[in-house]
Amino acid sequence: MTTNKAASRMIAAATGIVMGFGLAAAQAADPVKIGLLTTLSGDGAGLGVDTRDGFMLAVTEAGGKLGGVPVEVLTVDDARKPETAVQAADRLVKEDGVSLMTGIVFSNLALAVVPKVTRDDVVYVSSNAGPSQLAGAGCSPNYFNAAYQNDNLHEATGAAVEQAGLKRMFLIAPNYPAGKDSLTGFKRYYKGEVVQEVYTKLGQLDYAAEIASIRAADPEGVFIFLPGGMGINFVKQFDQAGLKGKIKLYGPAFSFSQDILPAVGDAALGVINGAQWSTDLDNPANKAFVAGFEKAYGRLPSVYAMQGYEAAHIMGAGLEAVGGDVANRDGLRAGMKAAKFDSVRGEFRFGNNQHPIQDLYAREVVKDDQGRLVNRIVAKVFDDHVDAYAADCKM
């Protein structure tokens, strides 16, 4: 009787071990879940669509994998609303069990979401927003930025304007974290007179009052940071007001990105903008990316698409380093920090705060041989540029 009970316990234990191994194998075979939370409706949706499409191109090109590891991408619309973004992120983490997240375009949403999800031990790779708070004292081992720190592209434009010798500039940006970072970055390298600095409502589409102020101030140039529909409307209204031929217009890549140039039209021609990337960067990875994106989606990629694509490859570097074992967070982060992948930007590496150290360029809006509005690099402004907040990060 005792022997039979003992045998039964041994059989049950053995069965449990076999079942455990079977469960572990099944779990190991499950794809890694990635949350892609971005703006897919309302104003700014085009930026989120490009982010999503760039990210998914990398996944598709690799046969549904990143770093050789099968992935499941859960795409959610944040509607450019902080409360919606927070709720969606919470569901992705607690209900869907994502290990990695990306996709947020706007910095006010990133500040609402990223600190919480990184505290929950989710690794977040930003495909766009790079607020100063997360680059400096608020940096985190679980936070990487595949794009830039918010100030960077504005710094490049400020340096380009300074080099061009303009003495009087009028500055405009939306009143939210990235808008404030943008003008801070511009002024860091522009040393002339700022005749007026205006912060508009985020999402504003009518700029009659601002254009009247520009006309009255009579500056040599205007610098705008107005992404998406905001930039489309401003540039058109600036041109319609007859100011384009009289006052030079500058901005960062976001305000003259490939996603909005067709809507802006010829009013954008000749504008100089700062960027960390361009479709005409001459390296094999970039040529393949531009061709692949155009083939897949029937349009040229924007800076947002590029950043989504690079975010996917950075995640892939981490997943490859741990063989898909996302429980190994230290190994996952180390793999990402090493950033071993063919970047479309050429050389790519992370700084101590896990933001890119990268070259920055001045681009001009021109027409290509097909008559399309595109950006072309006219100068390299910075080599291996480090953001201004890295020294405040204590990692």
Side-chain angles (χ1 to χ4, degrees), residues 37 82-83 85-95 98-99 101 104 108-124 134 138-140 142-143 329:
L37 177 63
E83 63 276 14
V86 169
Q87 292 167 4
D90 197 51
R91 287 194 300 272
L92 284 166
V93 174
K94 294 181 179 177
E95 297 179 21
V98 301
S99 303
M101 283 185 63
I104 293 176
N108 56 331
L109 274 64
L111 288 171
V113 169
V114 172
K116 185 176 188 306
V117 299
T118 54
R119 285 195 301 269
D120 289 338
D121 207 26
V122 171
V123 178
Y124 189 92
L134 300 181
C139 64
S140 164
N142 282 331
Y143 175 71
R329 288 291 200 268

Side-chain angles (χ1 to χ4, degrees), residues 61 73 110 118 123 137 183 219 248-249 255 299 333 337 388 393:
E61 287 178 340
V73 182
T118 54
V123 178
L183 299 195
K248 294 181 179 179
L249 187 59
S255 299
R299 65 186 191 277
R333 290 189 292 258
K337 186 69 177 284
C393 175

Side-chain angles (χ1 to χ4, degrees), residues 148-172 178 181-192 194 221-226 248-257 270-277 303 358-365 375 378-383 385:
Y148 46 69
Q149 190 281 316
N150 277 353
D151 299 22
N152 291 167
L153 308 193
H154 316 288
E155 291 171 336
T157 313
V161 173
E162 179 69 16
Q163 291 165 13
L166 276 69
K167 302 301 182 185
R168 303 177 72 250
M169 291 291 296
F170 192 108
L171 314 184
I172 303 177
D181 284 347
S182 72
L183 299 195
T184 297
F186 181 88
K187 292 184 291 183
R188 188 171 288 121
Y189 288 91
Y190 175 69
K191 303 306 179 185
V194 174
V222 174
F223 170 79
I224 63 166
F225 166 57
L226 297 168
K248 294 181 179 179
L249 187 59
Y250 294 85
F254 325 109
S255 299
F256 300 94
S257 187
V271 173
I272 301 295
N273 58 93
Q276 83 281 45
W277 168 84
V303 67
Q358 59 190 333
D359 298 340
L360 298 175
Y361 305 90
R363 311 185 305 179
E364 181 181 6
V365 179
N375 283 284
V378 294
K380 182 187 285 187
V381 181
F382 294 120
D383 286 298
H385 189 64

